[in-house]
Amino acid sequence: MSHAEASGACGFDFGTSNSALGYVAANSVKLVEFADGKLTAPTAVFFDDDEKHDFIGEEAKERYIAGDNGRYLRALKSLLGTSLFDEKTVVMGKKVPFASIVSGFVERLKKTAETQAKAPLDKVVVGRPVFFFESNPDKDQKAENSLRECFKTAGFKSVEFQYEPLAAAFDFERSLQKEALALIVDIGGGTSDFSRPQHN
């Protein structure tokens, strides 16, 4: 049994612009490869009106750029916590909840990760900004709750969150051999966060 099979866990960076996944295998972290071996995928969905099929990531972007007939959606993370996220939008002639679109995107990336891990992944740690809405705690909590439900709908049984700059700081801290003070900057498509790991 591989380590991935034993843990069933992965990390998911659901970004405003791009997304990435990592899973544990053979005592090391492996990043999921997407189109053309890229380690990130555009957080985008293209609903093709002619083929009556949806495409995600790089293929969604390419079809939009090529001028294919359909609807292109990107930066869905920015809707979290807003009243619009609870609404429906028309794609391929049907009204579809935004939550279903996000869940579908997450599920497709999850399946890609499981194919490469050769194991089911049902536990996930999801990166989140320190604040979705800095001045509105209720909307901030609503955004996290909505994202949690999307990941559960996508098939994850356990969903935990980690602040994005802290996740980066933890990774950097593991490489430190002596005491150091560093500023970790997470510049995202929607928010930017900062943290400082200190090795004692």
Side-chain angles (χ1 to χ4, degrees), residues 77-149:
K77 183 177 179 179
S78 63
L79 299 179
L80 290 168
T82 70
S83 59
L84 187 58
F85 192 76
D86 299 323
E87 300 296 326
K88 296 181 179 180
T89 188
V90 177
V91 293
M92 297 187 297
K94 298 179 180 179
K95 287 187 176 182
V96 179
F98 282 109
S100 295
I101 295 172
V102 171
S103 297
F105 175 83
V106 170
E107 183 178 10
R108 298 271 284 278
L109 265 62
K110 177 180 182 287
K111 288 180 178 178
T112 299
E114 289 175 330
T115 297
Q116 294 181 29
K118 296 182 175 61
L121 302 170
D122 60 4
K123 295 185 286 290
V124 64
V125 177
V126 185
R128 59 149 291 173
V130 175
F131 296 108
F132 287 100
F133 298 93
E134 186 171 2
S135 59
N136 193 322
D138 290 338
K139 288 181 70 174
D140 189 74
Q141 188 61 55
K142 180 181 178 182
E144 181 179 299
N145 292 344
S146 295
L147 192 55
R148 177 180 286 106
E149 285 305 310

